[in-house]
Amino acid sequence: MDSGNVAWILASSALVCMMIPALALFYGGMVGSRRILNMMMMCFGGASLVAVLWALFGYSMAFGNSVGGLGLIGDITEFPGMGQLLAKDDAAAIPGILFAAFQLFFACVTTALVAGAAAGRMKFGAWMLFAGIWATIVYFPIAHWVFAFSSADGTVTGGWIANGIKAIDFAGGTAVHMNAGAAALALALVLGKSSGWPKMEHTKPHSRPLVLLGAGLLWVGWFGFNAGSALSAGQSASVVFLNTAVAASAGLLAWALVERLRHGAATSMGAASGLIAALVAITPACGAVSPLGALAIGAIAGAVCSLAIEWKFRLGYDDSLDVVGVHLVGGIIGTLLIGLFATDKAPNGVSGLFYGGGLEQLGIQAIATVSVLTYSFVVTWILAKILDRLVGLRIKPEDELRGIDLAAHSELAYLTDEDPVQLGSPQRA
């Protein structure tokens, strides 16, 4: 094992972990002042639950030897509790248990992303139940499809997308972003619209500085997310690092330009959203394209996603924090544009249409896109429908109007003269 590689993946794991509180700040600033605690608790709570499930059986489902060699799901009995990873493997590039920790945070972040579609109107207990089951039946299998590679000697078989059709997804455009976006759409449809949607004074963003702070921290964390996926501190990680930086910058500028041309002003919310949209799009493509390709993908994502967030008003679904418009659309853009902008000089070593590779890779990327979207949306919709029948997903209308923080957590983020009593648990009152 190379100590430099181990140090880089340790650092990358910490950066991806930081994306959880960063997302909580990003989402928290976008909701009303009496919704922020619940939004942040959905991020932290869902992520924490998934981390526990990952240790118990999730890692086995995602990275265990493929059951029957079909590439659909890993053997749940292979690494239960992950105690088997304690033994040192001198032949491995990095410790297996470190890889498991790195991928743990991918599962946590993906689940937390889905929460944005349910902001302010979903029971916290119902969310926790949903998050645990969703990770088990949606994220863990899809992670196996996309991230589990077969061993060179054939003793370990991985997922069908990674090894069967050989679609390129360097760090999770399909398994993370499209998966979360499709799930968010399904959950939003089952939950229904917020009270007073779309004109809701009580749900307007209460802190744009928090949104920008969260977006900035997400940008920093994304270097661990993308460059860490190289699993070594070398040329591949360096290329990915640069591509991630320039794509994000192009996305911010493209969104701001579209806003300026269409609405007369470039807003801080737009800048933050453009940054995230481009980061989403470059995630699958960061190891397949040149810096010029990364600039193009980032700019296209920033411009297109700025238009896509308006679909919810035209189509009538309440995706509260634009998970669909940013993560679903951005993930599709980045995954498909690999088929156009990929160059064999980049780490993935595959050429797309613009570099003489023809349309074959675009077709492969499209198969992966449709497969992940279909599975995630359908299974999530069924899961949400069942839970709605069994436990109910929505909070009471009056609690929704006065703010979910008080109803769900007996706390308020900001006390006013109208709230003279400190709320919270008795020992903190």
Side-chain angles (χ1 to χ4, degrees):
M1 293 183 188
D2 183 278
S3 59
N5 292 340
V6 174
W8 169 236
I9 305 307
L10 283 168
S12 294
S13 300
L15 287 172
V16 182
C17 179
M18 187 185 70
M19 294 175 75
I20 298 167
L23 181 66
L25 289 171
F26 181 70
Y27 276 175
M30 293 175 71
V31 299
S33 61
R34 295 192 172 220
R35 290 174 147 199
I36 178 175
L37 294 180
N38 177 255
M39 190 69 261
M40 299 182 81
M41 281 290 288
M42 290 177 79
C43 292
F44 281 108
S48 298
L49 176 59
V50 171
V52 172
L53 299 180
W54 185 260
L56 294 175
F57 57 80
Y59 178 73
S60 285
M61 291 181 66
F63 292 100
N65 201 26
S66 187
V67 176
L70 298 176
L72 298 176
I73 193 69
D75 184 356
I76 196 172
T77 66
E78 191 167 351
F79 303 106
M82 297 199 293
Q84 298 83 349
L85 300 177
L86 294 175
K88 183 179 179 182
D89 181 1
D90 292 326
I94 61 171
I97 200 161
L98 174 55
F99 176 76
F102 179 62
Q103 284 291 333
L104 175 151
F105 294 117
F106 278 62
C108 295
V109 170
T110 306
T111 305
L113 285 173
V114 181
R121 64 191 191 279
M122 186 174 183
K123 296 176 183 176
F124 184 68
W127 160 251
M128 293 296 289
L129 184 61
F130 170 87
I133 299 174
W134 183 84
T136 301
I137 65 175
V138 179
Y139 180 79
F140 298 159
I142 290 180
H144 183 75
W145 300 357
V146 176
F147 293 144
F149 288 90
S150 301
S151 61
D153 59 8
T155 57
V156 176
T157 54
W160 71 273
I161 287 179
N163 305 283
I165 63 173
K166 299 187 186 308
I168 295 174
D169 186 351
F170 197 86
T174 53
V176 176
H177 298 292
M178 277 194 284
N179 187 8
L185 177 59
L187 181 59
L189 290 174
V190 175
L191 271 173
K193 304 178 184 67
S194 298
S195 298
W197 189 88
K199 297 180 179 180
M200 305 174 295
E201 292 295 325
H202 61 287
T203 64
K204 287 185 177 180
H206 85 285
S207 178
R208 285 165 174 80
L210 278 186
V211 175
L212 286 170
L213 175 62
L217 291 174
L218 282 169
W219 191 2
V220 175
W222 229 290
F223 290 112
F225 199 87
N226 284 0
S229 293
L231 299 180
S232 65
Q235 178 68 16
S236 292
S238 301
V239 171
V240 169
F241 199 101
L242 177 61
N243 282 346
T244 301
V246 299
S249 302
L252 185 153
L253 295 175
W255 191 304
L257 178 61
V258 171
E259 272 196 326
R260 180 68 177 83
L261 294 175
R262 297 187 70 218
H263 306 295
T267 68
S268 60
M269 289 282 288
S273 298
L275 180 76
I276 301 304
L279 287 167
V280 168
I282 199 59
T283 293
C286 55
V289 300
S290 68
L292 285 179
L295 284 172
I297 289 173
I300 292 169
V304 173
C305 290
S306 69
L307 303 174
I309 62 169
E310 298 178 8
W311 294 352
K312 63 183 180 183
F313 301 112
R314 298 178 182 178
L315 299 178
Y317 63 89
D318 181 8
D319 172 24
S320 305
L321 304 185
D322 298 316
V323 187
V324 176
V326 172
H327 293 274
L328 176 58
V329 176
I332 292 173
I333 289 171
T335 300
L336 293 181
L337 289 183
I338 290 171
L340 303 181
F341 290 103
T343 170
D344 59 5
K345 294 181 173 61
N348 282 124
V350 173
S351 291
L353 179 64
F354 296 163
Y355 290 83
L359 291 171
E360 180 182 1
Q361 193 63 44
L362 179 60
I364 292 171
Q365 299 301 118
I367 293 171
T369 296
V370 172
S371 301
V372 170
L373 291 182
T374 302
Y375 180 83
S376 180
F377 178 85
V378 172
V379 176
T380 304
W381 189 86
I382 294 172
L383 171 61
K385 274 290 187 182
I386 292 173
L387 291 180
D388 194 32
R389 289 287 185 90
L390 294 178
V391 300
L393 298 180
R394 290 287 291 260
I395 62 173
K396 297 177 181 179
E398 57 268 27
D399 290 334
E400 188 176 333
L401 290 173
R402 68 171 180 162
I404 192 174
D405 287 355
L406 194 60
H409 308 290
S410 296
E411 294 178 303
L412 291 174
Y414 313 105
L415 292 175
T416 68
D417 292 338
E418 297 177 359
D419 305 301
V421 179
Q422 178 65 49
L423 302 172
S425 57
Q427 62 267 33
R428 295 181 181 177

